[in-house]
Amino acid sequence: EDQVTQSPEALRLQEGESSSLNCSYTVSGLRGLFWYRQDPGKGPEFLFTLYSAGEEKEKERLKATLTKKESFLHITAPKPEDSATYLCAVQAGYGQNFVFGPGTRLSVLP
Amino acid sequence: DTGVSQNPRHKITKRGQNVTFRCDPISEHNRLYWYRQTLGQGPEFLTYFQNEAQLEKSRLLSDRFSAERPKGSFSTLEIQRTEQGDSAMYLCASSSRPLDRVWYGYTFGSGTRLTVV
């Protein structure tokens, strides 16, 4: 069974304090790994898609990387507006569904 | 393009009642998905439509749940004889067919929060 775990469960950072979020996965036939951001009371918002080990994507203060067993979301010099839950999801096999991890709840304090 | 629209935003119902939610996807998206999310967890897949055809259903989708997408446009998710365990956020998402390997993932709606009392 495909599984996705994320760590830490929650993370508090001071503004400007860089850190990384981890997503570990166990799947058969990875087709893609996705990062989403979710604000309270809203649906997830797409950030990145990664397809193969070694791939990296960047957007503003965020950078996502992928290995054969995990992905990292690096946050450089975060700002309070980066506070949200960050979700990792994988698509595997022939299905169209995503398997999501439980998310990391990030708080950035001014 | 106003994104994926879901109605209602909130629904409170008594145990045993039936409820129906509606999702209007992005107009050019032919793929539509329903997910369920409980507090502190990631979304869990329920079902997937390509145009009007329901092509995948999760084992989570019990007989009390039914989804439709007539004419391949909006979709409805109905829960019959609701139970307290059905309380969750129900999320709808849509996507277009991926071109090559460039796919921007789903676009999610803001969800319908169901509370069963």
Side-chain angles (χ1 to χ4, degrees):
Chain A
E1 184 178 331
D2 300 335
Q3 289 191 328
V4 179
T5 59
Q6 292 187 247
S7 62
E9 183 177 322
L11 181 62
R12 298 183 77 175
L13 299 173
Q14 290 295 134
E15 185 172 2
E17 180 186 1
S18 301
S19 188
S20 296
L21 313 183
N22 175 265
C23 169
S24 296
Y25 60 91
T26 306
V27 299
S28 300
L30 179 72
R31 291 167 56 197
L33 184 141
F34 303 82
W35 282 97
Y36 283 84
R37 168 192 171 129
Q38 187 172 27
D39 293 302
K42 295 190 176 181
E45 177 187 343
F46 173 77
L47 293 174
F48 302 111
T49 308
L50 299 166
Y51 290 105
S52 54
E55 192 173 357
E56 299 183 351
K57 294 275 179 72
E58 283 190 70
K59 179 181 178 180
E60 296 179 355
R61 296 178 291 282
L62 300 176
K63 178 178 167 180
T65 62
L66 180 65
T67 71
K68 288 188 176 179
K69 293 189 175 182
E70 58 191 350
S71 176
F72 292 93
L73 185 65
H74 307 278
I75 303 177
T76 302
K79 298 181 178 181
E81 54 261 42
D82 295 322
S83 298
T85 296
Y86 289 85
L87 295 163
C88 169
V90 297
Q91 187 180 28
Y94 296 101
Q96 294 298 318
N97 62 298
F98 286 3
V99 176
F100 279 85
T104 292
R105 194 168 61 252
L106 175 66
S107 300
V108 182
L109 307 176
Chain B
D1 180 2
T2 57
V4 178
S5 176
Q6 291 191 247
N7 288 288
R9 288 298 312 277
H10 304 275
K11 179 71 176 179
I12 300 175
T13 191
K14 291 184 178 180
R15 192 174 52 186
Q17 297 293 306
N18 299 344
V19 294
T20 300
F21 312 138
R22 176 177 171 126
C23 171
D24 288 273
I26 293 172
S27 56
E28 61 265 32
H29 286 181
N30 64 334
R31 299 178 176 201
L32 186 146
Y33 312 81
W34 285 98
Y35 280 76
R36 179 174 69 187
Q37 186 176 26
T38 54
L39 203 60
Q41 298 299 315
E44 295 176 296
F45 173 74
L46 293 178
T47 190
Y48 156 65
F49 289 86
Q50 185 167 317
N51 300 312
E52 65 275 10
Q54 188 174 20
L55 298 183
E56 287 182 38
K57 289 171 63 173
S58 164
R59 289 188 295 269
L60 292 175
L61 212 65
S62 76
D63 291 343
R64 296 185 297 106
F65 288 70
S66 63
E68 294 183 340
R69 192 182 182 199
K71 302 179 183 178
S73 55
F74 71 92
S75 176
T76 58
L77 178 68
E78 180 183 17
I79 309 175
Q80 295 182 326
R81 304 181 303 280
T82 53
E83 302 172 355
Q84 286 190 319
D86 297 331
S87 296
M89 174 80 86
Y90 289 83
L91 292 163
C92 176
S94 69
S95 71
S96 57
R97 180 180 177 180
L99 300 176
D100 298 322
R101 287 165 65 80
V102 179
W103 187 28
Y104 300 101
Y106 302 154
T107 301
F108 279 91
S110 292
T112 293
R113 180 164 296 284
L114 174 66
T115 302
V116 181
V117 297

